[in-house]
Amino acid sequence: YTNVYTKMFLPDTSWTNNSTNKTYNSRVKHAFNLTYEVMIDSFNTLKFTAKANKSKFQTSSEYYTAAVASNGDFINNSNRNTTNTADNDAFNGTMLWKHKFKKPFRTLSLNADFNWTESNNDGYLLSNNGYYKGGQLTRRDTIDQQNLRDNENTGWNSKLAYTEPLFKDAFMEFSYAISKNV
């Protein structure tokens, strides 16, 4: 909660500006992380990781401001209310299979990733603005807007790689990768 009072002085006039702002913010997040690794045999390992989270954000604001002449007449005033709610969900999963051959440092591996995100946002703005001349209301403007944004993204990629040792501290890797994002 914020209150601001300002007095303006110019050579030919003066006025006051009074504003009040109340804001509210909330964030709730739930997360899940999993890692599972198994040695199938002395040459093969399998590792799986997964991450999932769900979050919700809420914000709101009430703002009022008024400019008043030194004689007490309104110059202008504004009353603005905003709200926004965002729901975000995400899942990421990775699987890695690795095979070691009898020759040291010779390997074959397959890596696969999957990613999914979804975001739903609902925002609202209502603003009433009044303009005065000689203390009398001469014009009123209203802004009434809703902003909806929904996004969903899905992607996966995979990579098959073969590593061959050439000589000490030197390796050659042959790989093939493919990915898709929607």
Side-chain angles (χ1 to χ4, degrees):
Y1 186 85
T2 306
N3 232 350
V4 177
Y5 178 81
T6 309
K7 183 85 170 164
M8 306 293 236
F9 296 100
L10 294 176
D12 61 340
T13 187
S14 68
W15 71 89
T16 59
N17 195 14
N18 189 12
S19 64
T20 303
N21 190 19
K22 291 189 267 186
T23 59
Y24 169 79
N25 295 308
S26 171
R27 178 181 179 181
V28 177
K29 182 178 180 180
H30 302 284
F32 173 79
N33 297 315
L34 171 73
T35 300
Y36 178 72
E37 187 169 4
V38 61
M39 183 173 242
I40 299 168
D41 56 36
S42 60
F43 295 104
N44 294 289
T45 59
L46 184 63
K47 182 178 181 180
F48 177 75
T49 59
K51 296 179 181 180
N53 62 58
K54 182 174 190 60
S55 59
K56 183 172 189 140
F57 304 95
Q58 291 181 312
T59 62
S60 66
S61 174
E62 297 176 17
Y63 179 76
Y64 176 79
T65 185
V68 180
S70 58
N71 66 0
D73 291 344
F74 277 114
I75 299 170
N76 60 48
N77 62 9
S78 177
N79 191 8
R80 183 177 65 229
N81 294 310
T82 61
T83 60
N84 189 58
T85 301
D87 291 310
N88 301 313
D89 300 317
F91 175 80
N92 302 315
T94 301
M95 189 269 313
L96 173 64
W97 169 73
K98 190 172 186 179
H99 176 78
K100 295 179 185 178
F101 293 94
K102 289 185 180 182
K103 182 176 182 180
F105 302 108
R106 180 182 288 169
T107 63
L108 178 66
S109 63
L110 175 65
N111 188 27
D113 297 317
F114 174 78
N115 300 302
W116 171 81
T117 60
E118 183 178 52
S119 176
N120 300 306
N121 293 281
D122 185 1
Y124 187 69
L125 165 65
L126 178 61
S127 178
N128 293 305
N129 304 301
Y131 304 93
Y132 297 81
K133 187 167 190 169
Q136 298 297 316
L137 180 65
T138 58
R139 191 180 80 192
R140 182 167 296 281
D141 290 336
T142 300
I143 299 171
D144 189 357
Q145 296 176 333
Q146 185 174 23
N147 184 1
L148 299 171
R149 290 172 301 178
D150 297 330
N151 297 310
E152 184 174 6
N153 297 306
T154 304
W156 59 267
N157 60 63
S158 61
K159 179 180 176 182
L160 180 66
Y162 173 78
T163 306
E164 179 68 33
L166 297 176
F167 46 88
K168 184 179 179 181
D169 298 329
F171 306 93
M172 182 182 299
E173 179 180 285
F174 299 97
S175 64
Y176 177 77
I178 187 169
S179 64
K180 183 174 182 175
N181 292 307
V182 181

